[in-house]
Structures are given as C-alpha cells and as structure tokens.
C-alpha cells in the first residue's frame, strides 16, 4: 500500500496587513510545518499590488487605503483594473505547485483573499483552500454559524480559527486526494456546510517553537524602514469589553525574555539592513519579569558584541509598576515608542471598559516615558456606549493636560463591536438598541449615541489635538459618514 504524499503548502498574504514589515504569522507557521515534514512556501502579495497600484489607489494614503480594503466593491474594482497584476499574483502562487493554499485573513485582506481564492479554484479545481487569521476567527458566531454570505465562502474548503500551528498541522495530517477530513481545531466544509470536530488547545510552551522564517526580505518593499515583527506573548490577561483578542488566542501565555533576545540576535544575523522590531503583542509589558529579563539579555549580548543596536516599539498597558527605573531600562534596551490603549480620560468609562487602571497612573506612565526619551502613542475612543458628553469632555481635558507627554494620538474610527467581544455578546448591558444592532452603526436605546454623534465626537477630538499641537491619526470622518448614509439608504436597520 502506497504511503500518502504530504500536501505541498503555499501560505499567502494579500495587501493590507502592514505596509512597513512582513507579516509574522506566515513566518511562524512555515518553519513549524517544515519541522513536521511539510514543504511550505510563503508569498506576500502586498509589495506586488502596491507597486503596480493605479495612481489614485497609490496616492490615497495609508489610512484611506486601509479603510477601502474593507470594502468588497472597492477590492473587486481594484482587481479588475489591475488585471495583469492579478494574473501575476495567481501565476506566482500556482508556480509553487501547491496542493493547499492558505490565506491569512484580516479585515483588510479578507475581500482580496476571497476573490483570489475563487480565481485559483477556477485555474486549478483540485486545489484545497484554507483561511486562518483574526478575520477567520470572526467568521463564525458562538454557535458556529457563518457570519458571511455564501459567495464569500464559496472557494473556501476549511477555516482555522484562532492559533494556527497545531490546528493547521492537524488539518494537513488529515488531507488526502484534494480533501480535508473533519478534525479538531478547524471548520471543514462538508456538503456546503462547515463542521468542526472540537477545539484544540494552543501551543503550551511558546519557547519551544522555531524562530520565524521571513525568507529573503527586501526592506525596500516595506517602506525602507528595516523592520521585522516579533512577540513576547500570545493572548492577553486583560478583559477589555470591546476587544476580541481572547477569542482567537484561547488564553494568555508568554515567552521568556531570554528566548525573545535569542530570536532578535538570530534575525539580526540573517537580515542585513534590519534596524528595528515591532512587538506584535496586545501588551508588551504583560509579564514585567520577562520584559526585564529581555532588557538584561539585550544589554549583555550587546556588551559581548553579539547583538547590534536596534530599536523596538509595541503596545503597552498602563501599570503602576512601570516606574522611572523600569522605563529607563526599556529605553536602554532600544525601546523608542510605546502605544498605550488609554481609550478615555473618564475614570467612569475606563471602569466600564474594564481597562483596569487609574487615570492618574496613565498620566504618570506618559510623563516617565517622555522623561526617558520614549515616544508615546495614545489610543483613544469616542462614543463608548455608556459615555456621556461629560465623560467625553474629560477625554478632551486629558489630552489638554498631557499634550506635552503625548507624541501622537490614534483614534482611527468610532467605537465598534467585534462579534466575538464581550460588548457584542452582552450588548443589552451596554444599552445597545436591539433594532440597531450593527457592528459599526449601532446606537443606544435612548438614541443619544448613534454613529453621527460618534463622528461629531471624533471631529471634536481631532480639533482638540490639533489645538494642542498633537499629531492625530484618524480616518476621514466625511468618508465614514458617506458610508453610513449609503447603509441607511439601503434600508439596513434605518
């Protein structure tokens, strides 16, 4: 009896994940699957499409393009206009002669991934298509029912929600003659429906995973910044009600600081021109003990001549033990910017969000970072369901009081409800009107907090930041209102 041939795998990423660094997910899956005997290639289509994008797309700017990539009509029109580029993308994938093509799906990459999957199925009908990533996790509700239309799912044979290594390995182990068999950790299509045979736990020991394989990176394809991504943790120990991170990581786990430093040294040796790292965690300072160990390891390896100078940046949580001494150690290790999810200047709203910090501590953290020479990005929200006009005014006052210690603000868009977040699952507790229960365009039962009101608060926040001389990143509010009014005109919950 002949032995089953392992499927050849190509992991594909469409444009929209990041414009400054190659994605970490495929780079982690590749060496893990190769260590289990699978032939794996990765392909980042971002540089191909962005280099050959139509002029109006290329000149749109990062934030407008990121928003547009979430619009299926925009993406379909782009692929049609970029016919030769689309042909080249398909050719590059099929040139690797895969049996299985895996797409990493984010909100910004979903539509292009789905359309390319359809094209690949036409070109090679026996090809197996699997989707993973955060948007794949959001694809199903808590009962396992698909949250997208059948057209979006037509070319997809399997979906890996959550952490990828063990589930994708299980799926590939059960692949035979162009078909996936139902298995734990994945949804597999059977007779037009997706079925799952139970969940799988995450990788218990993150230190045991191989280092990421980014291939031959041309940093010029990513803005010339010389950045790669690494991580300290998976999951998050915080319980913010608007966040769905917990739904796809299945528990918080951390790597040792020594292992992260070892990986940084390894990647620095493999990639000439590397100048820094993005830490891809929800919270780089979730485990203060291991973060301190990382700082000491970096210092020792530099003193021994094993590690060049590099910078790093990442998300951080407000904590009282982020003292002047600790923040000084972060700066010494190369930290140049921390991104704080402060979200509101109102303690009442912070408590309702279950952020778990005191507003004065946030101000202390910002002040000490500024003193140490670490830039600060402050993430703010406008229009949390229980936020009153008085609460919002406290956010504006927070910006005014702390402007000297805020390098920039990110308030990309109004508060929205991810379908796996506690706020979405318990919407009645947050006064959401059941007749206007929409991820983006929800309103409160009293009608006082609707999308237009949230946009008004966004505009006020932008005006406040500009008056204080603080740069602010925000989607075009006029564009957002146009999308909202089209949605109303279509009769969707008006």
């Amino acid at each position: 009896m002949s032995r089953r041939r392992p499927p050849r795998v190509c992991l594909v990423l469409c444009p929209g994940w990041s414009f400054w660094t190659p994605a970490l997910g495929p780079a982690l899956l590749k060496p893990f699957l190769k260590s289990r005997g699978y032939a794996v290639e990765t392909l980042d289509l971002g540089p191909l499409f962005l280099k050959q994008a139509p002029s109006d797309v290329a000149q749109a700017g990062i934030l407008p393009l990121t928003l547009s990539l979430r619009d299926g009509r925009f993406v379909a029109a782009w692929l049609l206009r970029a016919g030769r580029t689309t042909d080249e993308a398909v050719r590059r994938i099929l040139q690797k002669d895969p049996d299985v093509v895996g797409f990493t799906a984010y909100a910004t990459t979903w539509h292009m991934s789905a359309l390319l999957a359809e094209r690949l199925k036409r070109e090679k009908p026996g090809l197996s298509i699997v989707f993973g990533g955060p948007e794949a996790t959001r694809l199903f509700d808590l009962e396992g029912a698909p949250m997208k239309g059948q057209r979006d799912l037509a070319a997809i044979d399997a979906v890996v929600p959550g952490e990828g290594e063990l589930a994708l390995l299980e799926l590939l182990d059960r692949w035979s003659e162009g078909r996936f068999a139902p298995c734990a950790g994945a949804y597999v299509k059977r007779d037009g429906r997706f079925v799952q045979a139970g969940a799988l736990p995450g990788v218990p020991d993150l230190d045991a995973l191989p280092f990421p394989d980014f291939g031959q990176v041309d940093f010029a394809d990513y803005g010339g910044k010389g950045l790669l991504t690494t991580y300290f943790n998976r999951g998050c120990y915080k319980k913010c009600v608007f966040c769905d991170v917990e739904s796809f990581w299945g528990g918080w786990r951390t790597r040792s600081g020594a292992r992260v430093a070892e990986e940084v040294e390894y990647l620095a040796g493999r990639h000439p021109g590397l100048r820094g790292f993005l830490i891809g965690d929800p919270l780089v300072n979730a485990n203060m003990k291991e973060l301190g160990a990382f700082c000491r390891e970096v210092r020792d390896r530099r003193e021994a001549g094993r590690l060049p100078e590099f910078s790093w940046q990442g998300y951080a949580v407000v904590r009282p033990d982020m003292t002047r001494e600790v923040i000084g150690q972060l700066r010494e290790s190369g930290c140049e910017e921390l991104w704080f999810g402060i979200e509101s200047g109102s303690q009442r709203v912070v408590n309702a969000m279950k952020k778990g910090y005191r507003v004065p501590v946030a101000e202390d953290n910002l002040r000490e970072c500024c003193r140490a020479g670490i830039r600060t990005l402050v993430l703010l929200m406008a229009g949390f369901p229980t936020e009153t006009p008085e609460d919002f005014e406290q956010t504006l006052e927070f910006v005014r009081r702390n402007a000297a210690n805020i390098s920039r603000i990110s308030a990309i868009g109004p508060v929205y409800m991810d379908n796996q977040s506690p706020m979405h699952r318990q919407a009645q507790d947050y006064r959401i009107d059941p007749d206007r229960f929409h991820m983006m365009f929800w309103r409160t039962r009293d009608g006082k907090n609707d999308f237009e009101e949230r946009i008004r608060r966004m505009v006020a926040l932008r005006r406040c930041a500009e008056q204080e001389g603080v740069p602010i990143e925000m989607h075009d509010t006029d564009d957002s209102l146009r999308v909202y009014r089209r949605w109303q005109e279509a009769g969707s919950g008006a």
Side-chain angles (χ1 to χ4, degrees):
M1 184 175 181
S2 61
R3 186 181 179 187
R4 181 188 72 95
R5 177 180 65 81
R8 294 180 294 273
V9 181
C10 181
L11 302 176
V12 178
L13 182 69
C14 290
W17 180 80
S18 171
F19 301 94
W20 315 123
T21 176
L24 179 62
L28 288 170
L29 290 172
K30 179 179 178 180
F32 175 80
L33 294 174
K34 289 181 75 172
S35 72
R36 300 305 196 272
Y38 287 97
V40 183
E41 299 281 353
T42 55
L43 185 59
D44 186 349
L45 296 176
L48 170 67
F49 275 96
L50 294 173
K51 282 180 179 178
Q52 301 182 30
S55 59
D56 57 322
V57 173
Q59 296 169 11
I62 297 302
L63 285 180
L65 179 56
T66 300
L67 182 63
S68 296
L69 285 170
R70 297 168 180 253
D71 183 340
R73 291 170 298 182
F74 170 86
V75 173
W78 184 7
L79 290 182
L80 187 63
R81 294 168 64 193
R84 291 183 180 178
T85 307
T86 306
D87 293 344
E88 174 63 13
V90 171
R91 186 193 69 79
R92 290 187 185 185
I93 295 170
L94 295 180
Q95 188 179 46
K96 298 181 182 297
D97 194 24
D99 301 298
V100 174
V101 173
F103 285 91
T104 302
Y106 297 88
T108 51
T109 69
W110 171 269
H111 291 294
M112 188 175 291
S113 300
L115 291 170
L116 285 180
E118 288 183 16
R119 172 74 181 274
L120 288 167
K121 283 282 196 177
R122 291 197 298 270
E123 299 279 343
K124 188 176 180 179
L127 194 63
S128 296
I129 303 286
V130 56
F131 273 45
E135 197 66 10
T137 303
R138 301 182 184 114
L139 178 58
F140 298 94
D141 64 19
L142 295 178
E143 284 71 45
M147 300 284 284
K148 292 186 183 290
Q150 289 301 312
R151 170 65 190 275
D152 290 321
L153 308 176
I156 302 174
D157 299 300
V159 175
V160 173
E163 191 168 304
E165 283 93 349
L166 299 180
L168 185 54
L169 177 63
E170 184 80 5
L171 192 63
L172 294 175
D173 284 347
R174 291 173 177 266
W175 179 92
S176 179
E177 298 179 355
R179 281 172 62 95
F180 295 118
C183 64
Y187 289 91
V188 175
K189 188 182 286 182
R190 278 288 180 267
D191 300 321
R193 297 177 61 252
F194 285 94
V195 297
Q196 187 187 37
L200 274 180
V203 175
D205 180 8
L206 298 180
D207 278 2
L209 291 174
F211 294 143
D213 181 355
F214 292 100
Q216 299 300 312
V217 177
D218 183 350
F219 288 115
D221 289 340
Y222 301 94
K225 294 179 179 292
L227 296 174
L228 291 177
T229 306
T230 185
Y231 69 109
F232 280 85
N233 313 280
R234 289 189 179 180
C236 185
Y237 75 96
K238 306 293 284 185
K239 304 295 180 185
C240 304
V241 300
F242 53 80
C243 183
D244 66 351
V245 164
E246 187 177 1
S247 68
F248 51 82
W249 285 120
W252 174 59
R253 289 146 292 147
T254 187
R255 294 206 291 171
S256 68
R259 180 64 172 173
V260 179
E262 186 181 1
E263 180 177 299
V264 165
E265 181 181 337
Y266 167 81
L267 292 172
R270 282 180 60 99
H271 297 282
L274 177 64
R275 299 201 296 271
F277 290 89
L278 301 180
I279 310 298
D281 302 9
L283 302 174
V284 68
N285 60 340
N287 188 321
M288 294 292 285
K289 176 184 175 183
E290 295 304 334
L291 181 58
F294 169 78
C295 293
R296 292 189 294 275
E297 285 280 345
V298 167
R299 179 198 61 204
D300 294 346
R301 290 166 190 259
R302 281 179 176 155
E303 290 177 354
R306 295 163 54 187
L307 191 59
E309 294 292 326
F310 66 90
S311 64
W312 62 269
Q313 52 194 295
Y315 290 97
V317 64
V318 171
R319 340 181 19 143
D321 51 357
M322 286 280 282
T323 62
R324 181 176 299 181
E325 179 184 3
V326 168
I327 290 173
Q329 291 170 355
L330 301 185
R331 182 71 188 99
E332 184 183 2
S333 72
C335 179
E336 66 175 12
E337 185 171 77
L338 290 175
W339 313 325
F340 288 96
I342 289 172
E343 316 303 359
S344 175
S346 162
Q347 189 65 57
R348 195 184 71 83
V349 173
V350 167
N351 294 346
M353 291 176 170
K354 298 188 178 178
K355 293 292 297 181
Y357 76 84
R358 305 296 298 173
V359 171
V361 176
E363 300 189 60
D364 288 343
N365 283 184
L366 294 176
R367 183 166 47 251
E368 292 304 331
C369 283
C370 184
R371 184 192 298 271
I374 295 175
R375 298 193 305 272
T376 57
L377 168 66
V378 171
L379 290 87
L380 294 174
M381 292 184 176
F384 187 75
T386 62
E387 180 184 81
T388 65
E390 294 75 21
D391 291 321
F392 178 65
E393 181 59 35
Q394 290 181 45
T395 296
L396 301 183
E397 285 298 326
F398 180 92
V399 172
R400 296 181 186 115
R401 282 198 313 272
N402 296 283
N405 299 324
I406 299 174
S407 303
R408 56 194 177 108
I409 293 171
S410 178
I412 300 301
V415 177
Y416 63 93
M417 296 187 294
D418 284 321
N419 69 338
Q420 300 282 2
S421 68
M423 192 168 79
H424 187 279
R425 298 197 302 267
Q426 300 152 18
Q428 69 280 1
D429 296 338
Y430 297 93
R431 309 175 190 168
I432 304 299
D433 183 350
D435 295 328
R436 181 64 70 82
F437 190 66
H438 184 277
M439 185 179 82
M440 183 66 72
F441 303 132
W442 58 268
R443 71 181 172 205
T444 51
R445 288 193 295 268
D446 61 9
K448 293 181 179 179
N449 186 345
D450 62 7
F451 189 76
E452 290 181 288
E453 172 59 24
R454 295 192 290 280
I455 289 294
R456 281 192 285 271
R457 294 183 192 183
M458 296 286 291
V459 171
L461 177 58
R462 180 176 61 206
R463 187 183 306 117
C464 175
E466 291 171 348
Q467 289 172 347
E468 298 301 323
V470 180
I472 183 167
E473 301 168 352
M474 184 181 290
H475 283 310
D476 188 300
T477 50
D478 290 336
D479 280 349
S480 298
L481 282 173
R482 280 191 287 270
V483 172
Y484 173 60
R485 285 165 185 152
R486 284 200 303 267
W487 176 81
Q488 284 184 310
E489 291 166 3
S492 301

